[in-house]
Amino acid sequence: MSVGVVTEQSLTIDTGLRLESGRILAPITQVYETYGTLNAAASNAILVAHAWTGSAHLAGRSSAEDAKVGWWDAIVGPGRLLDTDRYFIICPNVIGSCYGSTGPASINPKTGKRYNLTFPVITVRDMVRAQALLLDHLGISRLVTVLGGSMGGMQALEWATQFPDRVCSVIALATTPAPSPQAISLNAIARWAIFNDPDWKKGEYRKNPKDGLALARGIGHIAFLSDESMQAKFGRRYAARDGLFDFFGKFEVERYLNYNGYNFVDRFDANSFLYLAKALDLYDVALGYESLQEALEQIRVPLQLFAFSSDWLYPPHYTEEMVKVLESIGKDVDYHLIPSPYGHDAFLLEHETFTPQVKAFLERVTPGGP
């Protein structure tokens, strides 16, 4: 059953936040959505963290007329994996985004103009510290779990290491303790695409630099898919309306990248894309520690980790590296390698492959039991 129409909420904190860079971001606004009811003890809350270009709109519809449901709608609602008859679900939009939370597209109160490139560099850890301030406002001292995939999984790991007393568990899917040089290089090319668009104007554009941003998004889509999924979806089929020897004719996969790239321009801000890409590249769960082991030693709660066999953006061996360290230091870790042809996007497209494992894990870690 769907959660129906969901109203977006917002919180502004005037005192601001000290960032990893040492700069103070103030005020900060966070947009978020909630589903279900917080119990009297405030002990049934789950935080769902979104990926790179996601939003707080996790499930349901924004209005009765809205045809599109939230990005992980299939797992949220009465009787579903995140059962709203039992849990209170919170999905905040990260700072740095353009979906309502403070980011480069926001107005700087000191100048009355958009921040643009005067916005400070932020990290995933900064995003999580901002979320902790939101939970303070909501009166939630401890979460049943933090659940997220990709950049959302990075946030889950940060909750486990930076706020071990505020979570009962964490669940991270399709993520990595630190992006590889290959992953960083893909983001570098995406940045070049935007930087080299003459309409970007060093971040001072009035309208999105559409060609550069569309190309950057196309690069991302390639990384999110897999060879197997692209073979199944497109093969070597040529667009029917294009002649085979038309110089500007396109394969179906080219048309897909073009369509999704330019659609993205209508919904996402180029500077936010760049800042969040920077946060991804900078991510390292061991930042500030002597080693990965020292970072993971901070964890005091059960973890559930998932990797997907065809994910070449954050390949399974990076998750398995964490698992080996966690097991070597006696941590409670539950790891699953999911066979999937869908690449990095599998965590969004194949919820049924991990639902039974997550449901069993939640039964084990939920305060008060089933």
Side-chain angles (χ1 to χ4, degrees):
M1 183 184 297
S2 171
V3 295
V5 175
V6 182
T7 302
E8 183 179 274
Q9 301 175 69
S10 178
L11 170 69
T12 298
I13 301 171
D14 293 328
T15 53
L17 178 70
R18 178 175 291 277
L19 304 173
E20 285 288 294
S21 66
R23 293 182 61 181
I24 304 293
L25 181 61
I28 57 168
T29 296
Q30 288 186 93
V31 160
Y32 62 100
E33 291 188 4
T34 65
Y35 315 83
T37 303
L38 186 65
N39 64 20
S43 62
N44 67 331
I46 290 175
L47 188 146
V48 178
H50 68 73
W52 186 358
T53 60
S55 70
H57 188 45
L58 171 66
R61 290 176 168 80
S62 298
S63 68
E65 296 74 31
D66 190 3
K68 190 174 182 180
V69 295
W71 55 270
W72 226 353
D73 180 79
I75 70 168
V76 181
R80 295 181 177 178
L81 176 58
L82 301 184
D83 188 348
T84 49
D85 287 338
R86 182 178 184 185
Y87 299 112
F88 178 67
I89 315 300
I90 311 150
C91 184
N93 181 222
V94 299
I95 57 172
S97 179
C98 57
Y99 286 133
S101 295
T102 300
S106 303
I107 299 298
N108 182 343
K110 294 180 180 178
T111 65
K113 299 178 181 179
R114 283 170 49 125
Y115 279 103
N116 293 332
L117 299 195
T118 67
F119 193 73
V121 170
I122 59 166
T123 66
V124 174
R125 192 165 293 174
D126 293 328
M127 299 171 191
V128 168
R129 287 173 176 165
Q131 292 165 5
L133 295 177
L134 172 62
L135 294 188
D136 291 343
H137 170 77
L138 295 174
I140 298 169
S141 60
R142 199 170 191 210
L143 294 159
V144 173
T145 201
V146 178
L147 166 67
S150 192
M151 190 180 83
M154 296 175 184
Q155 293 168 67
L157 293 176
E158 287 299 297
W159 272 101
T161 55
Q162 302 304 304
F163 295 97
D165 294 329
R166 298 200 66 171
V167 292
C168 297
S169 65
V170 293
I171 305 169
L173 304 94
T175 195
T176 177
S180 68
Q182 178 174 266
I184 293 170
S185 69
L186 291 169
N187 283 349
I189 296 172
R191 278 190 286 273
W192 293 349
I194 295 172
F195 293 163
N196 289 318
D197 188 321
D199 291 332
W200 183 60
K201 303 181 186 300
K202 295 185 177 179
E204 294 296 324
Y205 52 85
R206 292 188 177 182
K207 292 184 178 180
N208 252 348
K210 65 178 184 178
D211 291 335
L213 183 56
L215 176 54
R217 183 59 170 178
I219 294 165
H221 269 290
I222 295 169
F224 302 153
L225 300 173
S226 70
D227 180 61
E228 188 176 352
S229 66
M230 293 174 89
Q231 285 284 1
K233 191 168 186 175
F234 310 110
R236 288 182 46 83
R237 293 188 299 278
Y238 213 65
R241 72 183 189 188
D242 294 343
L244 184 62
F245 297 104
D246 177 353
F247 184 78
F248 292 102
K250 292 181 175 65
F251 285 93
E252 287 291 354
V253 67
E254 292 179 273
R255 291 175 62 81
Y256 167 85
L257 294 173
N258 185 81
Y259 174 81
N260 283 284
Y262 281 97
N263 267 4
F264 183 70
V265 171
D266 294 330
R267 71 173 180 86
F268 211 83
D269 174 67
N271 285 342
S272 288
F273 183 91
L274 291 167
Y275 271 85
L276 295 181
K278 186 73 171 178
L280 284 168
D281 291 347
L282 290 174
Y283 182 67
D284 185 350
V285 73
L287 180 67
Y289 298 98
E290 292 294 325
S291 64
L292 177 61
Q293 176 174 324
E294 184 183 356
L296 298 181
E297 281 175 345
Q298 312 308 309
I299 299 173
R300 297 196 287 272
V301 297
L303 293 88
Q304 189 174 55
L305 301 175
F306 290 87
F308 297 86
S309 60
S310 57
D311 183 353
W312 63 275
L313 181 62
Y314 300 149
H317 65 84
Y318 288 106
T319 299
E320 290 163 2
E321 176 189 359
M322 281 195 294
V323 171
K324 288 179 181 178
V325 174
L326 288 162
E327 289 177 339
S328 73
I329 56 177
K331 299 299 181 180
D332 183 348
V333 57
D334 178 34
Y335 171 61
H336 300 273
L337 175 60
I338 305 294
S340 171
Y342 286 101
H344 186 65
D345 270 351
F347 79 95
L348 290 172
L349 300 176
E350 291 190 299
H351 64 90
E352 66 279 359
T353 64
F354 58 81
T355 288
Q357 298 94 320
V358 173
K359 187 173 182 179
F361 183 74
L362 286 175
E363 293 295 340
R364 177 161 74 92
V365 301
T366 299

